[in-house]
Amino acid sequence: MIALFAAAALALTTPELPRLPEIRREPQVTFVDRSGAVIGVRGGRYAPPVDLARLPAYVPAAFVSIEDRRFYEHAGFDPRGIARAVVAGLAEGRPTQGASTITQQLARNLFLSSERTVERKALELAYAIQLEETYSKKQLLGLYLSRVYFGSGAYGIEAAARRYYDKPAAKLTLMEAATLAGVLKSPTNYNPAEKPEAAAQRARLVLDAMVETGAITPAQRKTALAKPVKALRSAPGEPAQYFVDWLDGQTRQLVGTPKQDLVVETTLDLAMERAAARAASDALSSQAERGVQQAALVALDGQGRVRAMVGGADYSAGPYNRAVLARRQAGSAWKPFVYLTALEAGRTPDDPVIDEPLTLGAWSPQNYSQTYLGPITLEQALAQSLNTVAARIADEVGRDRVAATARRLGIASPINTDPAMALGTTLVSPLEMAQAYAVFASGGRRVKAYGVERVRTAGGAVLYQQRAAPPVQLVANPPLSDLNRMLRQVLVTGTGARAAIPGYDLAGKTGTTSDYKDAWFAGYSGGFATVVWMGRDDGSPMRGVTGGGAPAQMWRAFMSATLKRAGASAIPAGPPPTAPLTPAPPETPPAEAAPDPAPVL
C-alpha cells in the first residue's frame, strides 16, 4: 500500500507525466427507421456526457450508492475504501473487494488499460486527482455514466436504457436504474437480458445500498421490489443490423466522413423487419435437421425502398450480409427472365409446347420429377417448373437475349450464356433478385433498391435527400400481363402453392438447385416484392430442401404478417399495349463463364 501511494506521488510530481488527454467523442451516426425508431448507431462508441439534471435523482444515486458512496466527499480516491479492501483481502488471503472510486474508474476508462500493475494503478490515482481538479462532480459523474459498459454492446446509461428497456434513461424506473447499476460489477454475470435472476439479486443489493446512503426510503425500496422488471431479450433494433451495416458505408460515400453527429433516416419498417426476423428464425429452427444453416430475405416496395432485410441466421455470430453480398445460383427463380423474353418475342401463355427429352450439345436437362408431361401450354410449363421446356425456349429465343432481359430488370452480376443458364446457373444476390421481381410488382417500371431517405445533422441541417427517379418503363404489355398471369398460376397449381395467401393477388416462382445447395422463393403482390433464400455458407447440400417447401413457407409467414401494413394491392396491369417502352439502360460487359449446371426446380 505504501508503495502504491509512493508511486502515485511520483507520478504527480515527475515532469514526464503525460498531459491530460482531451476528453472528447468521435461523431456518431444514428440510423432510424421510417417512423423515427432508432435501429442502430455507428461511429463513436460513447454518447455525449450525461446531463444529470435530465435524469430522475435516483438514477445517478443508484450508481453512487453501489460503486462509490463517498463520491461527493473524496478528492479522487477514497483512503477508507482502500483500507477496507486491504483488511478484507487480508482476512480472506486474497483480494476480495475493489477500491476504485468512480473517478478512478473514469480515469482508467479514458486513459489507461485494464492491466493489473502497480504502475498502472499509480497513474490511475494520479489521473483521478487531476480529473477532480479539472471538472465538477456532476461533470465527472455525467461523463462516467456516458462511458461505462453495460454488456450487450451498450456503452453508457442512455444506450443501456434503450437496449434493455426500450426507453430513454430519463424514463427509467427505480428498479430499472438499480438493475443497470448492478450490471457494472460484471456485465457478463449480471446481464439482465441473459441472466435475469442474477441481475435481480444484484439489483436488491443496490436498493439496500441506496437505503443505507439515504438515497431512497425503505418504503421506496419495498415498492420497487414489488414491481419486478423484465429486460428485452434482444435489442429493439437488433434484427436490422445487417441493414444498418449495408447503409453505413453508403452514408459515408454520400456525405463524407462525419465531423458531427448525424441522423440517417432510412426506408426500413421496423415492424416488418421484426416479422422477417421471426419468419427466418422459425424457418431455420424447423429446418435445422434438414441441414438448413442460413436464410436471407429482402423486401422492397414498388419504388425500391427496402422495407426489410435479413442477412443471416445470427448477426452476433457474424455480420456477413447474405442478402447483399452472397452470390448463389438462382435455380428456377431465374426462369421468369426466360419466359418474359419469349413473351416479348411473340409467344403467349397458351402456346403449345412439348415436355420431352432434350439434348443441347453435350447437355441433356432433366426435370425434377424425372418424368415428362408431353403436350402442355407455356403457362403449365412455368407453373410446374419444367427444365426441358425452359432450356428449349431459351435456346430458341437466344440465351444472349435472356441475359439482356435479366440485366434490364436489375441483375448486375455476370450472366453466363451456356445452355444451362435457362435453369439458373448464374450467381446472384437476393437483393438483385428482389429488384428484378419488384419490376413485375410495379407495373413493369424499373426499380432500384435503396435504403437512405435523408441524412441530416443532429441539429436538423439536411446533408442529403433521396430524390425520386423519373419512371422508366422496362416491360410493356401484353408480355407483362401475360407473365403476371403465368406467375400467379405458380401459386395456384404449381410448385409455389405453399406460398399462397387467401384474399391477396400474389405471384412468384420457386428455385432449387439439383444438389439442394440453394433454395429460393421470389414473389410479389401489387407494389411489394420479397425474395427468400436458404442454404449453407460452405456450399454443401441441404437434405431435400426445395424452393416450394421451406422458403415458400418462410415467404408466406412474412408476407402474411406484412401485406396489410405494406398497403399491398392487386398486381398492377401496367401500361396499355400501345405505350412505348422507355429505352433500357446500357447492358453490362460480356458475361463470365458459368459454374457447373445444377438447378432443377
Side-chain angles (χ1 to χ4, degrees):
M1 181 59 64
I2 294 175
L4 178 61
F5 279 106
L10 182 62
L12 284 169
T13 58
T14 178
E16 284 77 23
L17 184 67
R19 288 186 58 191
L20 192 68
E22 179 185 358
I23 299 175
R24 60 185 180 86
R25 176 182 65 82
E26 295 298 321
Q28 287 183 331
V29 181
T30 299
F31 295 83
V32 299
D33 87 330
R34 61 186 305 216
S35 64
V38 175
I39 57 175
V41 179
R42 296 293 185 269
R45 174 180 287 177
Y46 308 109
V50 172
D51 182 356
L52 300 186
R54 295 180 178 271
L55 299 178
Y58 53 72
V59 173
F63 292 86
V64 171
S65 296
I66 196 65
E67 289 292 316
D68 183 8
R69 61 179 59 186
R70 283 174 39 80
F71 171 70
Y72 291 106
E73 302 169 26
H74 63 65
F77 65 95
D78 185 3
R80 294 185 191 177
I82 294 174
R84 184 172 61 250
V86 170
V87 171
L90 291 174
E92 294 291 333
R94 59 183 177 83
T96 60
Q97 296 183 11
S100 293
T101 64
I102 282 177
T103 316
Q104 287 175 261
Q105 293 179 50
L106 178 59
R108 182 168 64 245
N109 186 297
L110 288 171
F111 313 126
L112 302 168
S113 69
S114 296
E115 62 176 344
R116 297 189 176 187
T117 64
V118 172
E119 290 79 7
R120 195 274 295 165
K121 193 68 176 179
L123 282 174
E124 178 185 297
L125 285 171
Y127 280 145
I129 293 171
Q130 289 190 52
L131 284 170
E132 291 275 353
E133 293 174 346
T134 307
Y135 300 97
S136 69
K137 290 289 187 179
K138 284 187 176 181
Q139 289 175 315
L140 292 173
L141 186 55
L143 187 57
Y144 171 79
L145 289 177
S146 72
R147 299 182 70 91
V148 285
Y149 184 56
F150 289 89
S152 297
Y155 287 84
I157 185 68
E158 191 65 40
R162 295 187 182 279
R163 163 61 186 86
Y164 294 117
Y165 303 115
D166 195 19
K167 63 173 64 174
K171 294 187 177 181
L172 287 171
T173 66
L174 173 56
M175 191 63 184
E176 290 166 347
T179 302
L180 293 181
V183 170
L184 299 189
K185 181 177 177 65
S186 174
T188 299
N189 295 326
Y190 298 111
N191 186 305
E194 299 175 2
K195 298 185 177 180
E197 293 183 1
Q201 292 177 357
R202 178 70 179 164
R204 292 189 188 97
L205 293 179
V206 175
L207 291 173
D208 290 343
M210 294 179 75
V211 171
E212 292 172 5
T213 59
I216 61 173
T217 65
Q220 288 175 305
R221 176 187 180 278
K222 183 177 180 180
T223 300
L225 289 172
K227 298 178 181 178
V229 298
K230 184 177 181 180
L232 299 174
R233 185 68 181 85
S234 59
E238 187 169 295
Q241 298 316 297
Y242 291 108
F243 175 77
V244 171
D245 281 354
W246 178 54
L247 295 189
D248 189 35
Q250 294 182 33
T251 300
R252 295 168 194 278
Q253 290 178 349
L254 291 172
V255 301
T257 301
K259 295 180 173 56
Q260 58 183 311
D261 288 349
L262 301 179
V263 176
V264 179
E265 299 174 9
T266 78
T267 61
L268 194 86
D269 186 308
L270 188 53
M272 291 186 183
E273 180 72 6
R274 288 170 175 164
R278 284 194 302 271
S281 177
D282 291 346
L284 289 168
S285 297
S286 67
Q287 299 296 314
E289 293 183 355
R290 302 181 68 184
V292 179
Q293 179 197 58
Q294 293 292 349
L297 178 150
V298 179
L300 306 179
D301 68 14
Q303 286 69 49
R305 292 180 284 242
V306 176
R307 295 305 194 197
M309 176 182 286
V310 174
D314 183 1
Y315 179 86
S316 63
Y320 180 69
N321 189 344
R322 295 154 191 84
V324 175
L325 302 175
R327 298 294 192 276
R328 306 293 292 236
Q329 288 191 349
S332 291
W334 184 267
K335 287 178 182 174
F337 310 148
V338 175
Y339 283 88
L340 177 58
T341 306
L343 294 169
E344 290 179 333
R347 307 287 181 95
T348 74
D350 298 317
D351 279 2
V353 291
I354 300 177
D355 178 25
E356 61 184 355
L358 173 69
T359 297
L360 297 173
W363 177 60
S364 298
Q366 300 292 316
N367 290 328
Y368 181 76
S369 64
Q370 301 294 313
T371 61
Y372 302 96
L373 299 182
I376 55 173
T377 66
L378 214 62
E379 181 176 63
Q380 290 172 318
L382 180 57
Q384 300 304 318
S385 200
L386 300 178
N387 291 330
T388 58
V389 176
R392 185 187 300 277
I393 292 293
D395 188 61
E396 291 174 355
V397 301
R399 289 183 291 275
D400 56 340
R401 293 179 64 184
V402 174
T405 297
R407 285 194 287 269
R408 185 194 346 146
L409 295 177
I411 301 300
S413 294
I415 301 172
N416 72 80
T417 55
D418 70 357
M421 74 89 73
L423 310 187
T425 53
T426 293
L427 304 178
V428 292
S429 72
L431 181 62
E432 288 177 284
M433 293 296 280
Q435 281 187 156
Y437 274 74
V439 172
F440 309 144
S442 66
R445 292 184 174 183
R446 182 169 62 184
V447 174
K448 177 66 174 176
Y450 72 94
V452 177
E453 290 282 15
R454 182 186 304 165
V455 181
R456 58 178 171 82
T457 67
V462 175
L463 304 181
Y464 169 81
Q465 175 72 56
Q466 172 72 27
R467 301 196 182 280
V472 177
Q473 192 69 39
L474 297 183
V475 186
N477 272 315
L480 174 65
S481 57
D482 286 345
L483 183 68
N484 285 334
R485 166 188 157 183
M486 295 166 73
L487 291 177
R488 285 186 182 102
Q489 199 62 27
V490 172
L491 276 70
V492 177
T493 62
T495 57
R498 292 181 181 177
I501 303 172
Y504 287 97
D505 185 16
L506 304 173
K509 186 67 187 75
T510 57
T512 315
T513 56
S514 60
D515 46 15
Y516 301 109
K517 291 181 179 180
D518 300 282
W520 300 73
F521 190 86
Y524 55 98
S525 63
F528 196 66
T530 298
V531 169
V532 167
W533 166 86
M534 287 184 178
R536 298 177 61 84
D537 284 338
D538 61 5
S540 59
M542 298 174 286
R543 289 186 282 280
V545 178
T546 67
Q553 292 169 326
M554 176 176 158
W555 186 90
R556 185 183 191 278
F558 169 71
M559 295 291 272
S560 295
T562 57
L563 278 171
K564 185 175 181 180
R565 183 177 180 87
S569 58
I571 297 170
T578 56
L581 282 179
T582 307
E587 295 184 3
T588 55
E592 297 180 352
D596 294 335
V600 298
L601 183 60

